[in-house]
């Protein structure tokens, strides 16, 4: 049971993407799982505490260069 539970926890983003796919018809889309890096309790490196905006810069660069 423990091994299966760990596999489910690790596959959360993949499962979420498959689930969301059922509701999208037509346009291209992507599920980006940023929950683990979305908020900082304390400042770290160049980030202040609070919302990090993790993944936003990467996504915008991808869109810009596509």
């Amino acid at each position: 049971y423990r091994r299966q539970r760990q596999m489910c926890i690790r596959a959360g983003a993949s499962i979420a993407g498959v689930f969301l796919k059922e509701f999208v018809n037509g346009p291209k889309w992507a599920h980006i799982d940023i929950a683990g890096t979305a908020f900082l309790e304390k400042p770290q490196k160049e980030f202040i505490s609070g919302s990090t905006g993790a993944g936003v810069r990467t996504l915008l660069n991808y869109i810009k260069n596509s």
Side-chain angles (χ1 to χ4, degrees), residues 8 10 12-13 16 20-21 24 26 30 32 39 45-47 61 65:
C8 287
R10 290 185 185 139
L20 293 172
K21 182 179 179 182
V24 178
I32 302 171
F39 187 83
K45 298 184 181 179
E46 70 270 14
F47 297 109
N61 280 328
N65 294 315

Side-chain angles (χ1 to χ4, degrees), residues 40-61:
L40 293 175
E41 302 257 342
K42 298 184 239 177
Q44 293 182 12
K45 298 184 181 179
E46 70 270 14
F47 297 109
I48 62 171
S49 61
S51 298
T52 64
V56 173
R57 190 179 318 159
T58 302
L59 181 59
L60 290 175
N61 280 328

